[in-house]
Amino acid sequence: MTDEKLIRNFSIVAHVDHGKSTLTDRLLELTGTVSKREMVEQVMDQMDLEREKGITIKAKAVRMLYTARDGNEYELNLIDTPGHVDFTYEVSRALQACEGAILVVDASQGVEAQTLANLYLALENNLVIIPVINKIDLPAARPDQVAEDIENLLTVPADEIIRTSAKDGTGVAEILEAVVQKIPPPRGNPDAPARALVFDSHYDAYKGVVAYVRVVDGELCKGDKLRMMSNNRDVDALEVGIFRPKLVAAESVGAGEVGYVATGLKSVREVQVGDTLTHALRPAEHPLAGFRPAKPMVFAGFYPVATNDYPLLRDALDKLKLNDAALTYEAETSAALGFGFRIGFLGLLHMEIIQERLEREYDLDLIATAPSVEYHVLKTNGEIVTVDNPAALPNADQIEEIEEPWMKVSVFTPAQYIGTVMDLARTRRGEQSKLEYLDPERVRMDFLLPLSELIIDFYDQLKSRTRGYASMDYHFDSYRGAPLQKLTLMLNEEPVDALAMIVHKDYAYSRGAALAKKLKQVIPPQMFPVPIQAAIGGRIVARETIRAMRKDVLAKCYGGDITRKKKLLEKQKAGKKRMKQLGTVELPQEAFMAVLKLGED
């Protein structure tokens, strides 16, 4: 077991695409953890999606051995965290497992929204921050100006901030020295009852659920009987070990160290992120603070295009669930789309990733309905129900009040775009709470905004209105009452439950008209006219008609008697009438995504 004085546990926090994964690669190379033969770009990002999108989706850990300038060999445990706002809870647990964090800031982009969000998370956990300016080799780099920003933010002298280029390896050795010198060693009690924080987990077909742990007190040994303190479930430690970055078995993982425990359990749901592992025979008195179950914020319906793919979709979700405890789903049926699942996600990025993984890894063709949020509905009989599917909203005469989730949104933008960002927030029922100049060129604006308005293309609009310069971060604030109504879409006079929306009373007419107009563009013409109607309760608020495709029945008539032509036209008219009674309209995927693009025209 390594002496605690020679252990350093740290994380790297950064905004998306500021070079965190590349910097991790250089650290692994410099410490000889991964040989030149095994080295690939983004070695810690093992999912194809992570490499393509250039983002970290799942937390990873790795142990590096580094001989410092003082002659001692140190054990450095790096916990690589996701950078996106959807995975904030996972980031907070990973940071709780560390004593320090490297704050990476892009020399050309400067401090952005998630840089600050993750920095504040690190400061809340009392971590020592080592600021690093990355990408100094870029032509657009402005390291001096960024160093000034960081100095104002952290009160660290600008000349002490490490400047690196993770691409060519400049300044990486200085980072390792700073980790050894500035980050304190862990302060655990090796003789106390074992307590280990679970900061992530994955499912292995042979070992069951593998929990990633940071041992705070005591030690975990192979064969120990362990207990999870949130649900008092006892498990056997089939194997314990460390990350290099592959799993390497060991006899024990001691106080202050980071490693893994193979539990043999069959569901990740049973080993939740933030839980505390202790010995079953000699349990600790109190769990580690901060545990809360992951809570989905965004809900959408997923339906297979081919109805007989439903069992395949269910099996695919079961397999994904093994590795993703935040994923929740339940079966539902739709009159328009048949059998499918209502799935809960942490946010829009989480939804996009799950959809891509289902389509790629399991070869499924899916239709996804527009995402919605969870509403609290107080009924007239005093009962409170939660509704995450607009189609399940009770009738208006049974509703006393509807509450919707509101978020705290922080937007960082160049000063010239203040007006356009304010205008965007105002059209989305936003309330401004703060405006602060970070420097003469950049501002931070804080808003309170309903989550339902945030998930409908708010981020895309923000990026397009600020030419890509703005960045944003958000977290849950509270539930608030609002005059909300259900907007029903009818196609050929049949309600389409999958296109129902819950909208604010003031926006109901404009949303209904915009959606009907958009659907007219994306639904292909049929052999009969198709009316598209938007209704609130029993009142139609907007209508568009898709004109019928007209077959030229007179093409074979050249010259001849007019009665012959009339007879053919009458026959066609009768056929169209019958077709309208029996005709069904097939909806393309674009029809469901039209809801997300209402603000673009």
Side-chain angles (χ1 to χ4, degrees):
M1 209 167 91
T2 312
D3 180 1
E4 273 197 3
K5 293 189 182 67
L6 298 177
I7 298 175
R8 299 289 183 271
N9 297 320
F10 69 101
S11 187
I12 302 179
V13 294
H15 188 79
V16 174
D17 203 29
H18 277 205
K20 184 159 60 82
S21 295
T22 313
L23 180 60
T24 306
D25 290 354
R26 295 296 84 76
L27 294 174
L28 293 174
E29 244 175 33
L30 196 64
T31 55
T33 307
V34 177
S35 67
K36 281 263 191 282
R37 187 172 57 81
E38 295 174 305
M39 195 67 202
V40 290
E41 273 193 35
Q42 292 172 254
V43 72
M44 299 285 275
D45 295 340
Q46 286 144 15
M47 237 186 273
D48 288 343
L49 270 175
E50 289 182 310
R51 291 172 184 279
E52 279 174 33
K53 291 178 179 289
I55 57 173
T56 301
I57 293 167
K58 226 163 151 39
K60 318 276 187 322
V62 63
R63 176 180 292 188
M64 301 178 281
L65 299 175
Y66 172 64
T67 305
R69 288 171 194 160
D70 62 11
N72 291 321
E73 186 179 58
Y74 289 86
E75 177 190 303
L76 307 181
N77 291 308
L78 163 62
I79 297 173
D80 184 24
T81 58
H84 197 275
V85 60
D86 282 5
F87 306 110
T88 301
Y89 176 62
E90 281 180 37
V91 176
S92 74
R93 294 308 89 205
L95 291 176
Q96 200 190 348
C98 302
E99 278 76 41
I102 298 171
L103 176 73
V104 179
V105 181
D106 187 318
S108 58
Q109 305 275 352
V111 175
E112 295 198 66
Q114 276 140 38
T115 315
L116 271 190
N118 290 340
L119 169 64
Y120 291 148
L121 278 177
L123 292 173
E124 275 172 29
N125 286 300
N126 298 319
L127 302 194
V128 172
I129 307 293
I130 299 173
V132 169
I133 297 172
N134 191 23
K135 304 193 186 181
I136 56 169
D137 57 320
L138 289 181
R142 39 188 185 87
D144 297 335
Q145 199 179 330
V146 174
E148 248 178 69
D149 290 355
I150 297 173
E151 183 176 14
N152 296 335
L153 194 65
L154 286 174
T155 61
V156 174
D159 53 355
E160 286 184 23
I161 296 169
I162 302 168
R163 299 172 186 216
T164 68
S165 164
K167 195 174 176 184
D168 60 25
T170 310
V172 177
E174 281 82 355
I175 294 177
L176 287 169
E177 277 301 317
V179 166
V180 167
Q181 301 302 328
K182 294 182 180 174
I183 294 177
R187 291 189 305 276
N189 182 351
D191 303 318
R195 285 196 306 171
L197 172 76
V198 177
F199 64 84
D200 203 3
S201 60
H202 81 265
Y203 180 77
D204 182 285
Y206 301 103
K207 299 171 187 169
V209 176
V210 177
Y212 299 13
V213 295
R214 152 71 200 276
V215 182
V216 177
D217 298 321
E219 70 173 338
L220 304 179
C221 302
K222 183 179 177 180
D224 281 352
K225 198 151 197 67
L226 303 177
R227 176 170 297 163
M228 283 168 294
M229 295 186 79
S230 71
N231 55 12
N232 285 328
R233 176 80 191 263
D234 287 358
V235 295
D236 292 315
L238 305 180
E239 180 180 303
V240 299
I242 58 169
F243 304 97
R244 296 223 8 113
K246 292 185 171 68
L247 308 188
V248 178
E251 281 306 308
S252 67
V253 182
E257 293 188 313
V258 173
Y260 70 87
V261 178
T263 62
L265 292 172
K266 294 296 175 221
S267 165
V268 174
R269 177 43 67 96
E270 297 175 67
V271 183
Q272 296 199 18
V273 172
D275 204 347
T276 304
L277 273 177
T278 187
H279 281 143
L281 304 175
R282 189 186 167 212
E285 282 185 31
H286 305 290
L288 298 161
F291 171 71
R292 59 186 171 84
K295 186 176 184 334
M297 297 299 290
V298 173
F299 298 82
F302 276 31
Y303 298 86
V305 171
T307 321
N308 51 358
D309 280 351
Y310 176 76
L312 300 176
L313 175 59
R314 186 182 55 227
D315 294 346
L317 283 169
D318 286 343
K319 284 174 186 163
L320 280 185
K321 175 79 177 162
L322 291 174
N323 273 327
D324 190 345
L327 188 70
T328 61
Y329 59 91
E330 55 183 34
E332 72 168 8
T333 53
S334 154
L337 300 172
F339 292 101
F341 290 92
R342 191 89 191 152
I343 308 180
F345 307 95
L346 296 171
L348 283 185
L349 178 77
H350 191 209
M351 173 178 162
E352 189 185 323
I353 287 161
I354 295 296
Q355 187 172 355
E356 282 204 35
R357 288 189 68 185
L358 286 170
E359 288 178 348
R360 277 189 200 186
E361 295 172 24
Y362 300 97
D363 201 23
L364 290 164
D365 280 333
L366 299 173
I367 282 182
T369 64
S372 73
V373 301
E374 192 170 77
Y375 296 92
H376 291 170
V377 181
L378 173 64
K379 294 171 77 171
T380 46
N381 61 6
E383 185 190 350
I384 295 175
V385 291
T386 56
V387 174
D388 58 43
N389 184 353
L393 192 71
N395 292 332
D397 57 353
Q398 297 176 2
I399 297 172
E400 187 72 43
E401 188 186 28
I402 304 177
E403 288 186 339
E404 61 179 343
W406 280 62
M407 311 302 276
K408 275 184 183 160
V409 182
S410 298
V411 175
F412 290 72
T413 175
Q416 70 203 73
Y417 299 116
I418 290 176
T420 59
V421 174
M422 279 183 174
D423 180 56
L424 174 63
R426 197 176 63 249
T427 58
R428 300 301 174 90
R429 297 193 281 137
E431 298 170 3
Q432 190 176 338
S433 56
K434 186 176 173 187
L435 193 150
E436 176 187 356
Y437 275 82
L438 303 170
D439 59 44
E441 296 298 316
R442 293 174 68 252
V443 294
R444 170 186 174 170
M445 303 163 76
D446 287 2
F447 299 97
L448 287 169
L449 207 72
L451 179 59
S452 57
E453 300 286 348
L454 194 66
I455 61 174
I456 296 185
D457 83 333
F458 183 87
Y459 185 64
D460 295 347
Q461 285 286 320
L462 180 70
K463 283 291 186 190
S464 62
R465 290 185 187 210
T466 59
R467 298 187 185 173
Y469 285 112
S471 61
M472 69 174 245
D473 177 72
Y474 59 88
H475 58 269
F476 176 71
D477 180 54
S478 61
Y479 268 87
R480 288 197 202 177
L484 300 170
Q485 298 174 322
K486 178 176 164 187
L487 180 72
T488 308
L489 250 291
M490 295 199 291
L491 214 56
N492 204 14
E493 293 167 12
E494 288 291 324
V496 182
D497 52 1
L499 285 174
M501 297 164 71
I502 294 175
V503 292
H504 191 276
K505 178 165 69 78
D506 298 348
Y507 295 84
Y509 171 73
S510 56
R511 285 271 165 87
L515 186 55
K517 193 174 175 186
K518 199 86 183 176
L519 288 173
K520 185 181 177 181
Q521 294 167 13
V522 296
I523 295 174
Q526 311 292 314
M527 296 300 289
F528 51 92
V530 178
I532 301 170
Q533 296 164 306
I536 291 170
R539 187 164 53 95
I540 305 292
V541 294
R543 174 183 169 128
E544 295 281 343
T545 304
I546 302 171
R547 294 183 64 181
M549 277 176 9
R550 186 162 178 270
K551 182 182 171 190
D552 190 358
V553 290
L554 304 183
K556 56 189 173 185
C557 297
Y558 38 94
D561 186 7
I562 188 74
T563 54
R564 169 82 177 132
K565 292 181 183 174
K566 275 187 174 174
K567 198 172 175 185
L568 285 169
L569 288 170
E570 287 298 325
K571 193 176 174 187
Q572 183 185 34
K573 198 169 165 186
K576 289 235 181 207
K577 200 170 179 184
R578 192 170 66 249
M579 192 184 279
K580 181 139 190 288
Q581 287 168 348
L582 305 172
T584 55
V585 183
E586 285 203 0
L587 289 177
Q589 171 69 59
E590 292 80 45
F592 300 97
M593 291 301 103
V595 179
L596 295 181
K597 299 186 173 70
L598 290 184
E600 289 183 11
D601 289 344

